[in-house]
Amino acid sequence: AQKITQTQPGMFVQEKEAVTLDCTYDTSDQSYGLFWYKQPSSGEMIFLIYQGSYDEQNATEGRYSLNFQKARKSANLVISASQLGDSAMYFCAMRELNQGGKLIFGQGTELSVKP
Amino acid sequence: DSGVTQTPKHLITATGQRVTLRCSPRSGDLSVYWYQQSLDQGLQFLIQYYNGEERAKGNILERFSAQQFPDLHSELNLSSLELGDSALYFCASSPRNTGELFFGEGSRLTVL
């Protein structure tokens, strides 16, 4: 069963607007962590934001925020005030704490920011 | 710069050959992870080491093997290479089993 689902293969957003990238996950564990990574065309994987399953508040890091809805098992990434440099692949990932440290990744969403 | 170093950055080889990819984790990080990224399979977890011991295994083929040395660097060995092994291979490290993974820039393998 797929653990992480990103249903948007590609998205467009106008520069300076906000955009939401969807991520749903599947786990029976109570303790888990959710991550978002950015992969620009150069290929490196850049960590953006983390949400723990017990965190009561949504995580925020600068222009990135994570809309965590535990009951719906969703962990959407919100990017505010999009910039041209935000054009990249975005991956949602999950770590189940009883499975060690590995992250399981979704298929990714390609975001294109239009000027 | 994540602090994780992978070599080589690019590698072109022929089917049937064997290659070794090397990874130096961030200073002090005990966990090393290997991932394979291909167009059709996405980012697949291969294997994890923690302080020299294998900790978790994912979708790693029997033709592939890895190890982590006492100085914590790791090597991924790929043998009897096939066209389908062409991919970007990432190494990542973390200080423990929690927190984010720090990725290297990847080793792009092309099998002709």
Side-chain angles (χ1 to χ4, degrees), chain B residues 5-8 20-24 34 71 73-76 107:
Chain B
T5 304
Q6 288 188 248
T7 57
T20 297
L21 309 180
R22 182 188 168 99
C23 169
S24 294
W34 286 97
D71 66 352
H73 91 272
S74 179
E75 292 181 357
L76 179 67
S107 292

Side-chain angles (χ1 to χ4, degrees), chain A residues 35 37 39 43-45 47 91 95 97 99-105 107, chain B residues 33 35 37 40-43 45 48 56 88 90 97-101 103:
Chain A
F35 302 76
Y37 280 82
Q39 186 178 35
E44 72 267 32
M45 294 287 288
F47 166 72
F91 292 94
R95 166 188 287 135
L97 295 184
Q99 297 291 323
K102 69 179 187 288
L103 299 187
I104 304 299
F105 286 84
Q107 290 295 100
Chain B
Y33 309 78
Y35 284 85
Q37 185 179 31
D40 55 345
Q41 294 290 326
L43 265 162
F45 167 72
Q48 176 201 358
L88 186 55
F90 282 109
N97 283 340
T98 59
E100 69 267 31
L101 268 55
F103 281 80

Side-chain angles (χ1 to χ4, degrees), chain A residues 6 13 15 17 23 31 35 38 40-41 56 64 66 70-71 84 92 94 98 113:
Chain A
Q6 294 180 252
V13 65
E15 192 179 7
E17 292 186 351
C23 172
S31 298
F35 302 76
K38 172 184 177 182
S41 58
E56 293 187 354
Y64 304 108
L66 200 153
K70 195 169 182 176
L84 295 178
C92 179
M94 179 175 69
N98 69 353
V113 180

Side-chain angles (χ1 to χ4, degrees), chain B residues 4-18:
Chain B
V4 178
T5 304
Q6 288 188 248
T7 57
K9 286 187 168 40
H10 300 277
L11 190 56
I12 301 174
T13 189
T15 54
Q17 296 298 305
R18 172 190 169 95

